[in-house]
Amino acid sequence: MTAPSSRPDIIALLADADFKYRADTNTWSHRDGRPFSKEEQAHALTATRSEFLDFDA
């Protein structure tokens, strides 16, 4: 059985995330200050432990 590969769109979202919670939108921010959309936030929160480790590497 092969290990699942990381989803590039998740890695891209994590790489662009500031991870500062915005109280006005209840989401994280992009590095340029734009808030994540609700869809982006929900999608980023589906990241697996493996994807977080890949992102951190």
Side-chain angles (χ1 to χ4, degrees):
M1 181 180 213
T2 61
S5 60
S6 293
R7 296 169 288 175
D9 54 329
I10 293 291
I11 301 301
L13 274 176
L14 295 176
D16 190 36
D18 191 352
F19 297 108
K20 290 183 182 172
Y21 179 77
R22 293 180 56 112
D24 59 333
T25 61
N26 298 322
T27 63
W28 296 331
S29 296
H30 289 274
R31 290 191 180 270
D32 65 5
R34 293 176 296 121
F36 269 33
S37 69
K38 298 288 184 185
E39 294 80 15
E40 287 173 319
Q41 182 76 23
H43 194 54
L45 290 174
T46 67
T48 64
R49 183 175 191 271
S50 175
E51 288 167 331
F52 272 110
L53 292 174
D54 286 349
F55 159 70
D56 191 41

